Amino acid sequence: MEIPKTYDPKQAEQEHYARWEAEGYFTPEINGDPAAPVFCIVIPPPNVTGSLHMGHALQHTLMDVMTRHKRMCGHKTLWLPGMDHAGISTQLMVNRELKKEGLTRHDLGREKFVERVWQWKHESGGQILNQMRREGASVDWSRERFTMDEGLSRAVREVFVRLYEEGLIYRGDRIVNWCPTDQTVLSDLEVEKTPQAGKLYYLQYPVKTDDGTERRVTVATTRPETMLGDTGVAVNPKDERYRELIGTTIKLPLTNREIPLFADEYVDAEFGTGAVKVTPAHDPADYEMGVRHNLPQVVVIDQHARMTEDAGAEFFGLDRYKARELVVQQFEELGLLEKVVDYEFSISKCERCKTVIEPLISTQWFCRMAELRDLALGLMNETGEPQFTPEVPYAKVYTDWLENLRDWTISRQLWWGHQIPAWYDDEGNVYVARSEEEARSAARTDKLVQDADVLDTWFSSQLWPFSTLGWPDETEDLKTFYPTSVLVTARDIIFLWVSRMVMAGMKFLGQTPFHDVFVTGTVLDKHGQRMSKTKLNGIDPLDVFDKYGVDATRLVLASTGSTDSRWNDNQVESYRNFANKIWNAARFCLMNSEGAGVNSEAFKTENGTELPLHDRWILSRLNRAAREVNDAVNSYQFHEAVQTLYHFFWDDFCDWYIELTKQDVTAEAASPARDTARTRLVTVLEQALRLLHPFMPYITEELWQRLPGVGERLLHPAYKGARPTVMLAAYPQADAALIDERAEGEMAAVIDLISRVRNIRSELNVKPSDRVRVLVGAGEERAREVFEANRDQIARLARASDISVRERLDAPRASARAVLGGGAEVAVPLEGLIDFEQERGRLAREREKLQKEAAKLEAQLANPQFAERAPAEKVNEVKERLADIAGRSAALAQMAEALK
RNA sequence: GCCCGCUUGGCUCAGUGGUAGAGCACUCGCUUCACACGCGAGGGGUCAAUGGUUCGAAUCCAUUAGCGGGCACCA
């Protein structure tokens, strides 16, 4: 036998991907049906610096499941891959490389540095894309994009120019988040707040009085060094304590400046002393107050977080923390330090380097968001798009954020990225244009200097769903694939990316960029902690692939879907076992496939003869599974889809169908009956492999290719002419006519009988090799017919020597007995093995259980309100159950009697 | 501070207004001619607590506790 007993995933993983790719199966062009519905996903472009982590593997699995499913359903399918240039991350990465050579980017200069980044990108960037091949991701590599591609860069400039011309992009001086380490401005979303155990310093400021009497106002601050830049003190207008001081002047210590004390609603009288020092140049809230009250801005901290000349000679050049110490010390010496208390507050840090952010006033480019925000909110109001899954909480989180949106700082002081398409002439006039030529002709001079800054990485990412399809040109791809079908992403970029894509899509194409958004859960470590590089608790998907196989890993990830869950190897192991189960089921089919071949006519019978029960049953189960899986995938219920597939394959197909058909299939002599049984078996297997394929691409392809009788005719009609592959086979759609309640009911009775006999054997320690006699009593004629018709299978699976089916149970006293559903009874004569006392006890316990349940049901029926208010259907159900229990209970009583 | 989510057998998780589910782990038996990554048979949960709505609640509502997450210019 050439098929090994254990499935080795590596072999299949190495074999198929390259062929799929080479055959063009991943491209939408493989679909030859001009009327085919379209399905499109654009990948959330991973950072060019990134390598695959579990979060990617999760997203990619879900996207691939959907893409493969839709492709097999005949959709014209595009999953578009690509990468993000990731401005800051990439620049820092290359900086680190340079540092090893003892260089900084300034040693190279801008042009050489950017060249160097490109070189890095070509040599070691984008590892993640190769890792995606391993995952089996069916992306169209011919459409791979990078945010700095010429086409995408053109889209960026186009958007910038249009927004500028409409006044939605402007340049100005604002207080911004400045990272002193990365030397760039950051948007609010790139700043993280972390709790910080710090101190609250109470500083006393002398009030200037006419009569020379001494009066002081105490202000509280966490950042004493900023007092050097104070240009006012604010109190709440309703605060009685300070009412008479409003309008007076403060003599600012350590400086020779005098600043006003004024009233502003913003001030919370309850907090601190109720008086706030106002530093417009170094605090966002103070900045706002400064604007309201026309306060001067005194800059005392520079871009390197050092004190400026304006901070005073003593402080000039000091680091901000050193300056803090000195300020506090001097206040103490002057007797103006009232107290210092421990205080926990949150501090803003750079998301990337964790440096404490310095709010600074700086000239930057901003994007006005109000109009764009309204486009997104309007869309949500009108069409409910994008439809979030899970809807709770993301739809609300998304709209709440939009409603409170502030202007977006879009410039960055970096070299790697899209340089801002604005040029300045000698006089400082600005020309925003799509190209330098355009700017020159507008400026009527060649002496222009381009703005040195680049755009926030997310400025280009927000265009991804259409820039990748060719926009601003009206390409075929854009017409065909926009809007995309669904966006799959992690929740941490809903604001950074998802919302901005919606705004940009609405603004420039007038349509949502994607109808649905599926938000994945987070894969945590086994202690429930987020996986992170710094904690070193990450699990490398590639290691898991190596250990358990890609397909098994995909099942775990698909099951995870949108819920946070802890990683545990046990689960992967169980799906690894599942893969092995599939392998061996197929192995059995292939070992017995001579004379058989996959055949859509396999279950047709001549002149309408009814199929055997197990055939009708497996068709019913197969079609039911197909219906459930299709519904589940279409509604993003991946966990349910996996469960359905798992139990259909293992329980229905392996445990029952193969066993039931085994005798026919393994008959030694060739015969038409054997061929039929084998053909049916292999046909069901083939359908099962198709159902499984979106989740387990490798093993299904590996096995499908080996099945006898597979070929082009199994492909979805849209893929006519393609080289046969399970990837392009038609995804099984449920045929309602084949879902057969009667067959399932009859099969349930057979299974029940077999299980009861097995139970008796097990409980009474009958040796597996011993055959037993099985006596069945069934009052219903149909039940007797079913048992009779399947007596061979029952006998084999229950290890019975013979089976006798009668209307009434007629068993020797020394028998173990059990009650079946529908009032049937079974007895197994076991002379010498029966302890009558014990047996009566067993029956009594079973009867007790039934009676407990009956009592509950009776109480329910006895409640008049139940009969009145519950639906008749429910009331009937209870009555029927009660009758069934009564029947069984009576039978048990009789059985116990027979043992006396 | 505001908002949100979670709490189901030993573990990891599904589920849902009308008889509590899976996988793993556990117990017993099995070299049954596809598979010990297996086969068969079992044990195990008053679905966090309290109160309410309902004929009926693990499922809906409220409160509480524990855990987790998001948002926020309180100096």
Side-chain angles (χ1 to χ4, degrees):
Chain A
M1 176 47 35
E2 74 276 27
I3 306 172
K5 277 186 168 188
T6 305
Y7 172 55
D8 171 20
K10 289 211 182 65
Q11 183 240 329
E13 285 164 20
Q14 279 159 12
E15 208 152 295
H16 300 294
Y17 195 91
R19 196 188 79 251
W20 291 334
E21 190 181 338
E23 291 284 338
Y25 295 155
F26 299 158
T27 71
E29 283 75 24
I30 194 80
N31 188 309
D33 175 7
V38 171
F39 181 81
C40 176
I41 300 182
V42 291
I43 199 169
N47 289 355
V48 62
T49 52
S51 69
L52 195 74
H53 60 61
M54 216 35 106
H56 295 123
L58 168 59
Q59 293 179 21
H60 298 166
T61 295
L62 298 177
M63 286 186 264
D64 198 43
V65 165
M66 291 190 251
T67 303
R68 286 179 184 271
H69 174 245
K70 284 291 186 299
R71 188 184 290 116
M72 290 175 75
C73 288
H75 286 56
K76 188 182 178 84
T77 305
L78 170 62
W79 178 12
L80 187 147
M83 282 186 299
D84 194 288
H85 67 280
I88 299 185
S89 300
T90 312
Q91 179 158 329
L92 292 179
M93 167 86 72
V94 176
N95 278 351
R96 274 198 295 277
E97 298 238 313
L98 288 176
K99 202 173 171 187
K100 285 181 209 154
E101 300 162 28
L103 295 169
T104 71
R105 66 187 162 114
H106 300 285
D107 295 329
L108 269 67
R110 183 167 188 151
E111 201 175 322
K112 283 268 185 300
F113 178 80
V114 170
E115 253 174 48
R116 177 73 188 245
V117 180
W118 277 108
Q119 187 194 339
W120 178 88
K121 190 231 170 204
H122 292 309
E123 284 166 10
S124 34
Q127 290 175 38
I128 205 163
L129 296 182
N130 279 320
Q131 294 166 333
M132 282 184 69
R133 287 185 158 85
R134 180 82 195 279
E135 294 175 309
S138 60
V139 296
D140 181 0
W141 293 109
S142 72
R143 284 175 169 82
E144 182 188 333
R145 296 289 183 269
F146 180 54
T147 45
M148 298 246 302
D149 285 349
E150 178 45 37
L152 279 72
S153 301
R154 193 157 66 92
V156 165
R157 290 193 297 272
E158 182 69 26
V159 163
F160 189 95
V161 171
R162 287 204 209 169
L163 290 175
Y164 178 80
E165 285 170 353
E166 287 187 43
L168 297 187
I169 281 179
Y170 63 93
R171 185 167 182 256
D173 292 340
R174 287 291 163 97
I175 193 150
V176 295
N177 305 300
W178 182 266
C179 176
T181 300
D182 295 343
Q183 285 294 298
T184 180
V185 65
L186 300 171
S187 74
D188 293 344
L189 288 171
E190 291 160 299
V191 168
E192 63 181 29
K193 305 266 175 140
T194 50
Q196 175 89 5
K199 307 236 184 265
L200 192 57
Y201 301 84
Y202 286 73
L203 308 180
Q204 296 179 341
Y205 288 179
V207 180
K208 186 179 177 189
T209 49
D210 298 337
D211 53 5
T213 51
E214 187 164 335
R215 187 101 205 245
R216 293 175 182 177
V217 171
T218 306
V219 296
T221 181
T222 55
R223 301 195 58 197
E225 71 279 14
T226 62
M227 62 77 50
L228 298 166
D230 282 2
T231 54
V233 170
V235 298
N236 189 288
K238 295 197 190 82
D239 194 335
E240 296 296 338
R241 293 172 294 178
Y242 300 109
R243 181 159 286 178
E244 60 184 59
L245 290 177
I246 294 170
T248 58
T249 299
I250 300 288
K251 294 162 72 175
L252 188 64
L254 315 188
T255 71
N256 51 14
R257 286 192 286 119
E258 294 189 345
I259 59 176
L261 190 148
F262 61 90
D264 192 289
E265 290 286 349
Y266 162 78
V267 179
D268 177 0
E270 305 296 314
F271 186 88
T273 62
V276 185
K277 60 187 273 311
V278 181
T279 323
H282 298 288
D283 181 276
D286 292 3
Y287 174 84
E288 301 288 335
M289 268 197 283
V291 170
R292 281 198 291 277
H293 298 274
N294 255 320
L295 301 179
Q297 297 162 350
V298 176
V299 174
V300 292
I301 303 173
D302 72 9
Q303 299 189 335
H304 299 280
R306 290 181 194 283
M307 306 313 285
T308 64
E309 207 164 352
D310 285 346
E314 268 181 283
F315 297 96
F316 180 39
L318 286 184
D319 172 82
R320 55 186 164 178
Y321 298 116
K322 284 270 185 285
R324 176 175 304 175
E325 284 170 28
L326 190 55
V327 165
V328 172
Q329 187 195 324
Q330 296 204 357
F331 265 76
E332 192 160 20
E333 285 165 13
L334 292 168
L336 295 174
L337 182 67
E338 190 170 303
K339 60 177 173 177
V340 181
V341 299
D342 288 333
Y343 180 61
E344 185 163 320
F345 60 104
S346 67
I347 196 162
S348 299
K349 292 184 175 175
C350 171
E351 187 184 50
R352 243 165 238 92
C353 69
K354 313 298 176 194
T355 304
V356 175
I357 289 299
E358 191 58 52
L360 287 183
I361 291 176
S362 163
T363 308
Q364 302 290 342
W365 291 88
F366 299 91
C367 183
R368 232 183 276 285
M369 301 307 288
E371 181 192 325
L372 296 164
R373 182 257 325 271
D374 289 344
L375 287 173
L377 286 174
L379 175 70
M380 182 57 93
N381 271 335
E382 280 164 37
T383 69
E385 284 174 310
Q387 170 73 50
F388 281 89
T389 300
E391 184 160 18
V392 176
Y394 299 115
K396 186 170 151 51
V397 164
Y398 166 84
T399 47
D400 284 357
W401 182 79
L402 282 174
E403 278 161 9
N404 297 307
L405 195 49
R406 298 191 301 166
D407 286 1
W408 172 19
T409 313
I410 53 174
S411 45
R412 294 289 181 276
Q413 287 63 55
L414 303 173
W415 287 351
W416 175 243
H418 301 278
Q419 198 167 348
I420 290 178
W423 286 262
Y424 306 95
D425 65 17
D426 291 344
E427 286 152 27
N429 295 312
V430 61
Y431 303 94
V432 168
R434 289 166 184 79
S435 66
E436 184 152 8
E437 292 76 60
E438 206 180 295
R440 280 179 186 159
S441 63
R444 298 209 185 89
T445 169
D446 286 355
K447 289 172 72 185
L448 291 178
V449 180
Q450 186 170 4
D451 194 299
D453 289 352
V454 301
L455 288 162
D456 181 2
T457 295
W458 298 102
F459 194 89
S460 54
S461 322
Q462 68 174 342
L463 315 179
W464 187 252
F466 47 93
S467 63
T468 52
L469 296 172
W471 189 91
D473 293 338
E474 283 200 25
T475 59
E476 268 314 301
D477 271 7
L478 189 66
K479 281 185 233 164
T480 307
F481 297 110
Y482 191 93
T484 67
S485 308
V486 54
L487 182 84
V488 177
T489 187
R491 63 172 149 260
D492 49 358
I493 51 176
I494 289 177
F495 307 144
L496 276 168
W497 192 48
V498 177
S499 62
R500 285 169 179 165
M501 283 190 286
V502 175
M503 292 186 272
M506 290 303 290
K507 177 72 183 168
F508 294 100
L509 286 105
Q511 284 186 78
T512 184
F514 27 75
H515 299 293
D516 294 350
V517 174
F518 183 87
V519 184
T520 65
T522 309
V523 183
L524 307 166
D525 73 3
K526 64 179 171 187
H527 305 294
Q529 300 286 310
R530 275 186 102 86
M531 292 183 184
S532 79
K533 279 180 204 153
T534 47
K535 282 189 220 150
L536 296 172
N537 62 344
I539 301 206
D540 187 343
L542 298 169
D543 291 343
V544 183
F545 292 163
D546 286 343
K547 196 164 168 197
Y548 298 104
V550 172
D551 289 332
T553 313
R554 287 171 59 116
L555 284 183
V556 175
L557 294 170
S559 296
T560 294
S562 62
T563 49
D564 291 358
S565 61
R566 299 170 189 216
W567 184 264
N568 70 344
D569 272 11
N570 285 341
Q571 214 188 340
V572 205
E573 201 176 316
S574 99
Y575 286 126
R576 189 268 322 259
N577 296 350
F578 180 51
N580 195 239
K581 187 73 181 177
I582 296 169
W583 180 258
N584 277 288
R587 182 166 171 263
F588 172 78
C589 298
L590 291 170
M591 281 163 57
N592 298 288
S593 63
E594 197 189 310
V598 174
N599 187 343
S600 58
E601 312 276 285
F603 289 89
K604 293 258 163 63
T605 57
E606 282 169 39
N607 48 39
T609 333
E610 189 172 54
L611 286 166
L613 175 59
H614 63 276
D615 285 334
R616 279 181 286 134
W617 176 78
I618 197 65
L619 283 180
S620 182
R621 300 299 297 168
L622 173 69
N623 281 277
R624 197 182 284 279
R627 183 166 75 188
E628 286 173 13
V629 173
N630 277 296
D631 287 352
V633 173
N634 286 332
S635 56
Y636 308 118
Q637 317 247 298
F638 301 104
H639 182 275
E640 188 178 328
V642 171
Q643 290 304 305
T644 299
L645 289 166
Y646 184 95
H647 291 291
F648 167 72
F649 197 91
W650 200 311
D651 302 351
D652 295 343
F653 183 65
C654 294
D655 287 351
W656 292 105
Y657 188 69
I658 290 183
E659 295 304 330
L660 289 164
T661 196
K662 192 174 256 179
Q663 197 159 43
D664 296 339
V665 163
T666 57
E668 287 216 1
S671 70
R674 193 183 76 169
D675 290 351
T676 302
R678 288 180 169 192
T679 292
R680 286 175 185 170
L681 178 64
V682 85
T683 299
V684 174
L685 173 66
E686 194 267 342
Q687 291 280 317
L689 292 177
R690 294 195 213 183
L691 282 175
L692 286 160
H693 180 260
F695 297 85
M696 309 180 82
Y698 289 117
I699 191 173
T700 49
E701 177 75 325
E702 177 66 29
L703 292 172
W704 193 87
Q705 295 289 353
R706 299 183 188 214
L707 294 185
V710 295
E712 195 194 326
R713 74 205 151 73
L714 302 182
L715 301 187
H716 189 284
Y719 307 114
K720 205 163 179 291
R723 288 251 313 263
T725 166
V726 67
M727 262 191 76
L728 303 179
Y731 204 72
Q733 301 298 315
D735 178 351
L738 293 174
I739 295 178
D740 183 344
E741 301 289 350
R742 186 170 64 96
E744 294 200 25
E746 290 173 2
M747 191 65 201
V750 169
I751 289 174
D752 190 25
L753 172 58
I754 294 168
S755 300
R756 297 312 303 216
V757 175
R758 284 171 170 175
N759 174 252
I760 286 169
R761 298 181 57 112
S762 183
E763 297 229 326
L764 297 187
N765 293 318
V766 177
K767 276 195 280 175
S769 50
D770 288 350
R771 301 275 157 175
V772 294
R773 286 176 60 213
V774 171
L775 311 176
V776 180
E780 289 174 27
E781 192 184 351
R782 181 63 201 164
R784 287 200 299 279
E785 282 170 18
V786 169
F787 292 139
E788 285 288 359
N790 296 281
R791 60 188 308 141
D792 287 354
Q793 281 120 322
I794 294 167
R796 206 156 31 77
L797 298 185
R799 308 200 133 249
S801 52
D802 69 272
I803 294 184
S804 138
V805 182
R806 307 243 169 114
E807 191 169 351
R808 301 186 69 84
L809 186 64
D810 178 16
R813 180 167 172 256
S815 298
R817 295 148 210 262
V819 184
L820 307 173
E825 300 165 49
V826 60
V828 179
L830 290 168
E831 193 63 57
L833 285 177
I834 305 279
D835 176 327
F836 294 96
E837 194 62 33
Q838 216 173 38
E839 189 65 7
R840 274 202 303 277
R842 206 169 61 91
L843 294 172
R845 276 195 301 279
E846 192 156 345
R847 196 159 164 235
E848 253 172 61
K849 253 196 268 174
L850 288 176
Q851 279 170 343
K852 253 191 206 162
E853 204 188 330
K856 266 204 273 183
L857 296 172
E858 271 161 12
Q860 207 174 353
L861 277 180
N863 181 350
Q865 284 171 312
F866 174 66
E868 262 170 53
R869 306 200 187 174
E873 177 201 341
K874 289 290 167 202
V875 178
N876 267 336
E877 215 173 86
V878 170
K879 283 182 181 161
E880 274 167 27
R881 268 169 53 207
L882 204 49
D884 185 55
I885 289 172
R888 286 166 178 248
S889 188
L892 285 169
Q894 249 181 22
M895 287 174 174
E897 200 61 30
L899 288 170
K900 280 188 179 156

